[in-house]
Amino acid sequence: MKILVPVKRVIDYNVKVRVKSDQTGVDLANVKMSMNPFDEIAIEEAIRLKEAGVAEEIIAVSIGPEKAQDQIRQALAMGADRGLLIKTDETVEPLAVAKLLKKVVEEESPELVILGKQAIDDDSNQTGQMLAALLDWPQGTFASKVEKKDGKLEVTREIDGGLQTIAINLPAVVTTDLRLNEPRYASLPNIMKAKKKPLDVKEIGDYGVDIAPRLEVVKVTEPPVREAGVKVESVAELVEKLKNEAGVI
Amino acid sequence: MAVLVVADVHGSSIDDSTHKTVSAALAIGGDVDILVAGENAGDAAAAAAKISGVRKVLHADDAAYGHRLAEPFADLIVSVASDYDAVLKAAATTGKNVMPRVAAKLDVMQISEIVAVEAPDTFVRPIYAGNAMQTVKSKDAKKVITVRATAFKAAEEGGSAEVVSVDAAGDPGVSEWLNENLTKSDRPELSGAKIVVSGGRALGSSEKFEEVIFPLADKLGAAVGASRAAVDAGYVPNDYQVGQTGKVVAPELYIAIGISGAIQHLAGMKDSKTIVAINKDEEAPIFQVADYGLVADLFKAVPELVDALG
Ligand SMILES: Cc1cc2nc3c(=O)[nH]c(=O)nc-3n(C[C@H](O)[C@H](O)[C@H](O)COP(=O)(O)OP(=O)(O)OC[C@H]3O[C@@H](n4cnc5c(N)ncnc54)[C@H](O)[C@@H]3O)c2cc1C
């Protein structure tokens, strides 16, 4: 089968973001950008399915700025076969991303789309579920294990009480959780090879999807800061403070 | 105006997150109804009817809702959504799974994990692991919202809403529940606990985690949490993870033991009332959010703490 893996260019998870003083957003100038970590897990899972003989082709797609080619190239270096960039400098909300991905699915006819469960910038946790809804496909979200069995997909999901295993028909949408796998690093030879793999660039306008935002960002502000606390010298002092100062035990 | 809250049902009861989501709904305004979907969930519907401020409980009973599978559950919510201006569900794993599916079917952009209601169309939500707060105004006629339960007070008991049955919306038959491997514990549930004791990578093994963290939790009647590193290493199950991509907690007391305080971890606990950190590295970032920091070797300090608590 063919697997489609959407990847998003986001601020690196190690960067401490700063809110802009005009409250319009966070400062992205000169900060390190990377592939959303959950999407690396998605790419890795697709590659493992290919290595296991379950999948034949992996297409990495990104909706974002010109520079998102870096993230697609990373996916190609890890082992994806070809890439597609749908170019835009606008902020595209998850609903519009899902609509664009639906168009890509209609063109490419993959049997499986694997996405990260959330992007670590807007923390929305929506796109995979929305894509599944628009396609009327089943969804296996927050996956910690994915196996193809008897023509179906068995997905073990991380849920609040522990783990849940479901079987879903194909075609399907899967979203990744942290424990699904540990993504590989691309080797230098593979990074070189990835430069020659096909990467198609399209304009967002080519798809005829309305991407006008439904949510108007009124403002972006700093979260409330906690007052600096104190260091205690001993366990006895800690217990005393918790009892008499904080009154929590 | 009318708002629908989709309850978090577990067998015959509803989770406290439902009460908190009702508070968010009441803040939006208008009539508030609750949808209780489940298999043999009559008792859960009766429990929902007791939440004060609720007009009506819609009760849908069908085997298709017993395991909260996304496809039939989303279809059910969509089938009743036309009567409402907003549909809310707690941002627990079921809400996160089902609600975006509902939103897309209604052609609505979901507003994820709100922590405050500014106006019936304007909400505050954390982004970038809680390092920024975004205020958004929705232009959609109907709102689909998930609610960070810890940010809202639980609605009181004392209501007596009418319970009406609603028809099941069918099962597209594309997904099937196979099994669940749920963590068994007599300790309080993590998301709602008054005290949480969390352990990190420093514990080194599941044996040490149990030996050091559990006695302290039990002495305090606390829930047990963990960092991602501790979960990844298999010291404790996945549902113990606190953080940006795990559970968000806001207890009266949070004790972080051998946890460095990465932003992804802080995202899940920095709204706790009192934070204690025990770490041997005095530079560890966790101390920047801790009310009380103890620089010490946890293997010595924690057993001492258990003893000191008598
Ligand atoms: C996409 C993504 C999502 C993530 N989501 C989450 C999340 O939801 N939750 C989360 O927690 N993390 C999350 N992380 C991981 C996060 O970045 C950190 O890696 C993780 O929180 C570190 O866990 P830790 O503090 O236990 O380990 P470490 O950072 O290794 O810290 C261990 C600490 O223990 C201390 N220590 C060692 N020995 C002792 C001793 N004997 N006594 C006392 N102290 C000792 C050390 O000084 C150190 O500070 C995420 C990461 C990514 C990329």
Side-chain angles (χ1 to χ4, degrees), chain A residues 89-247:
Chain A
D89 287 322
E90 306 291 317
T91 309
V92 190
E93 291 174 343
L95 179 64
V97 170
K99 288 179 180 178
L100 288 159
L101 291 174
K102 180 178 183 231
K103 297 271 183 191
V104 177
V105 166
E106 285 162 359
E107 273 171 16
E108 295 284 354
S109 313
E111 224 188 333
L112 179 62
V113 185
I114 311 181
L115 307 88
K117 78 164 178 181
Q118 84 192 59
I120 60 164
D121 50 4
D122 62 24
D123 283 333
S124 288
N125 194 335
Q126 299 177 357
T127 307
Q129 298 88 314
M130 287 182 156
L131 176 63
L134 297 177
L135 292 165
D136 241 325
W137 288 5
Q139 64 191 51
T141 56
F142 325 147
S144 69
K145 192 170 173 210
V146 176
E147 257 181 310
K148 193 175 174 192
K149 258 193 201 164
D150 307 327
K152 296 190 180 198
L153 216 55
E154 263 189 40
V155 181
T156 301
R157 311 179 50 235
E158 295 202 357
I159 61 169
D160 284 334
L163 295 171
Q164 176 190 66
T165 305
I166 58 173
I168 52 179
N169 290 2
L170 288 163
V173 170
V174 164
T175 76
T176 62
D177 217 317
L178 295 168
R179 259 68 61 179
L180 183 57
N181 60 52
E182 227 175 285
R184 68 194 65 190
Y185 290 101
S187 67
L188 198 57
N190 284 343
I191 293 172
M192 299 313 288
K193 263 195 256 164
K195 292 191 173 147
K196 296 203 190 78
K197 288 185 179 175
L199 197 175
D200 221 8
V201 179
K202 296 225 167 122
E203 297 296 327
I204 201 160
D206 296 347
Y207 289 85
V209 167
D210 175 15
I211 61 157
R214 307 287 185 85
L215 303 181
E216 176 199 333
V217 178
V218 180
K219 61 178 177 185
V220 174
T221 56
E222 296 275 354
V225 277
R226 287 189 76 96
E227 302 246 334
V230 296
K231 291 253 170 67
V232 293
E233 293 303 320
S234 66
V235 166
E237 191 189 344
L238 175 61
V239 172
E240 191 274 320
K241 296 258 194 220
L242 289 177
K243 278 198 175 133
N244 303 323
E245 199 174 86

Side-chain angles (χ1 to χ4, degrees), chain B residues 82-139:
Chain B
S82 57
D83 295 338
Y84 297 95
D85 302 286
V87 185
L88 277 65
K89 187 161 172 56
T93 43
T94 304
K96 288 176 178 175
N97 186 33
V98 174
M99 293 304 271
R101 192 169 176 104
V102 171
K105 294 221 167 201
L106 296 170
D107 193 28
V108 168
M109 175 56 204
Q110 172 178 294
I111 309 149
S112 291
E113 248 184 299
I114 63 162
V115 296
V117 177
E118 300 276 289
D121 62 355
T122 308
F123 310 91
V124 183
R125 54 179 305 265
I127 53 174
Y128 293 95
N131 286 305
M133 306 303 287
Q134 186 187 52
T135 304
V136 290
K137 185 173 170 167
S138 168
K139 295 178 205 159

Side-chain angles (χ1 to χ4, degrees), chain A residues 13 37-38 120 178, chain B residues 199-202 226-230 241-246 258-262 264-265 278-281 284 296-299:
Chain A
Y13 80 97
F38 287 101
I120 60 164
L178 295 168
Chain B
R201 192 198 310 268
S227 70
R228 174 193 173 179
Q241 184 183 315
V242 171
Q244 178 188 17
T245 61
I259 293 178
S260 61
Q264 292 85 7
H265 188 79
I278 301 175
N279 195 303
K280 69 175 183 190
D281 172 13
D297 183 336
L298 73 91
F299 295 105

